Amino acid sequence: MAAKVIGERKEISLWDQICAEVAATRPPFEPPEDDASSVKTDVIQYDATKHNPVFYGRMFAKVPADSDPFESFDPSTSHPACVGYSLVEKPPPPPSPPSTPLPDPRLCAPREYLEHYIFPVLLPGMVEMLREAKNQRCFERKRTKFNACDFLTEWLYKMNPRFAGDRDDITLFEIPFVKSWLEEHPRPPLPLSLLLSDEEAATIIQSFFRGYLTRRDPEVQELRQWQRELREEGEDISIKVEEFWRKHEPSEEGHDPTQKASPKGTHKTSSSGSPRGFKKQRASSGISAVTSEVSISIEPPSPQPPQSPDV
């Protein structure tokens, strides 16, 4: 007879599925670990629209009857919803047997060492590793940033029973032997596609697409083209002016003897050969840059009219 229980149905983890598959492959003469062979219990998810709260958390089964069950029903001792059903309480699990003393780790067999010293610590770590892998969606994607060996190393280092509570705040890259190993064998950095979350990646993609829609607007394209041409013109003018002054500036070694004397009213030269007030005249002289030629014209000072003597 199959008994049913209405309550919260727990999700079966991947580790429980693996353990169930291993238990199914055991030979039949081994004793079962639960009551699956004696009583089959079916857990049903509670739904207020389908189930009565009287049955919540209890084992029940429909009992066939030859006569009408309402003839012997007493409302002072039972609920009308329980008519025709048998409600039983699941017996508590038997007390666990006393634990046997641990064997000497230096004298025991390898199987005993694994069962008593390695597996009690390693198996809970593997359960937490599978749970974290599920949270990181490793069973849904081909590539993730989750590293099972790194997680298991950090978990075992923190859960060492000899240092209980002393390593709770330490991370993987702060472990001494991990730091020394990474100094000799550095890791390549992870790609950005593995470091970003789904929300961050969606934000970057959406912002780029909105920028693309803005840049393809005809008015924006015209503005960008005008800015590009303006920058190119500015670069050409600055290059041409620099080349002109580099060619026409006198050398610093001395005055060129082949240079003709300047007419009266023009600028004077200093001892080093460079004209005085060179920077001022550069601004005042009519400089016009036309394609590849730059012309400089220096105007002589205009004559002043004679002043009449004071009477």
Side-chain angles (χ1 to χ4, degrees):
M1 182 178 63
K4 298 180 180 180
V5 177
I6 298 178
E8 296 293 336
R9 190 170 185 176
K10 297 182 179 179
E11 184 180 358
I12 301 177
S13 62
L14 180 62
W15 179 253
D16 295 336
Q17 295 179 7
I18 295 175
C19 294
E21 293 176 359
V22 172
T25 59
R26 291 178 178 175
F29 55 83
E30 290 190 4
E33 296 181 354
D34 50 13
D35 59 348
S37 61
S38 58
V39 178
K40 183 179 180 181
T41 305
D42 186 12
V43 180
I44 304 175
Q45 179 66 34
Y46 174 74
D47 188 359
T49 61
K50 299 179 180 179
H51 306 114
N52 196 301
V54 178
F55 297 97
Y56 186 85
R58 294 188 175 184
M59 297 179 61
F60 68 95
K62 192 173 181 60
V63 180
D66 298 334
S67 60
D68 188 7
F70 283 96
E71 295 179 356
S72 59
F73 171 69
D74 185 5
S76 62
T77 58
S78 180
H79 194 275
C82 300
V83 176
Y85 292 90
S86 175
L87 301 180
V88 295
E89 297 290 342
K90 190 173 183 178
S96 57
S99 59
T100 57
L102 297 176
D104 189 356
R106 294 173 295 180
L107 302 177
C108 63
R111 181 185 180 88
E112 294 178 345
Y113 185 84
L114 292 174
E115 292 179 352
H116 292 87
Y117 293 99
I118 301 299
F119 289 158
V121 181
L122 181 61
L123 293 182
M126 296 182 68
V127 172
E128 294 296 330
M129 179 190 67
L130 293 175
R131 190 171 301 166
E132 183 65 21
K134 183 179 180 180
N135 296 336
Q136 297 289 339
R137 304 173 67 179
C138 296
F139 307 116
E140 304 174 9
R141 301 177 177 179
K142 294 183 178 180
R143 297 172 65 248
T144 59
K145 65 178 181 180
F146 179 73
N147 192 322
C149 295
D150 290 350
F151 179 86
L152 194 59
T153 301
E154 181 180 350
W155 192 90
L156 292 175
Y157 188 81
K158 288 182 178 180
M159 298 302 171
N160 192 335
R162 297 183 180 180
F163 305 93
D166 298 339
R167 300 176 174 178
D168 295 339
D169 299 333
I170 196 170
T171 60
L172 174 69
F173 300 103
E174 296 176 354
I175 301 176
F177 63 85
V178 175
K179 293 173 63 177
S180 60
W181 172 263
L182 292 178
E183 289 178 357
E184 299 178 359
H185 309 81
R187 293 182 177 180
L190 292 176
L192 187 61
S193 59
L194 300 181
L195 297 177
L196 294 177
S197 61
D198 294 345
E199 292 77 10
E200 294 173 345
T203 302
I204 294 175
I205 295 173
Q206 292 174 4
S207 62
F208 179 82
F209 185 71
R210 286 195 296 268
Y212 165 73
L213 294 180
T214 303
R215 290 189 297 271
R216 65 178 292 185
D217 186 83
E219 296 182 357
V220 177
Q221 289 184 359
E222 183 179 357
L223 176 62
R224 297 182 65 192
Q225 180 67 23
W226 176 79
Q227 291 177 343
R228 187 182 303 109
E229 294 176 356
L230 183 63
R231 286 194 301 268
E232 292 176 356
E233 291 178 1
E235 292 178 357
D236 294 342
I237 290 176
S238 60
I239 293 174
K240 292 175 182 178
V241 172
E242 289 179 0
E243 290 180 355
F244 171 79
W245 292 118
R246 192 183 311 110
K247 293 179 180 178
H248 292 77
E249 282 182 353
S251 60
E252 298 181 356
E253 298 178 358
H255 179 67
D256 189 0
T258 61
Q259 186 177 4
K260 297 182 179 179
S262 58
K264 184 178 181 181
T266 57
H267 59 271
K268 299 180 180 180
T269 57
S270 61
S271 59
S272 59
S274 61
R276 295 181 179 179
F278 188 69
K279 296 182 179 179
K280 294 182 180 180
Q281 293 185 3
R282 177 182 296 185
S284 62
S285 58
I287 303 176
S288 60
V290 181
T291 62
S292 62
E293 294 183 359
V294 179
S295 61
I296 299 178
S297 60
I298 303 177
E299 299 178 359
S302 59
Q304 298 292 335
Q307 298 180 0
S308 61
D310 296 336
V311 180

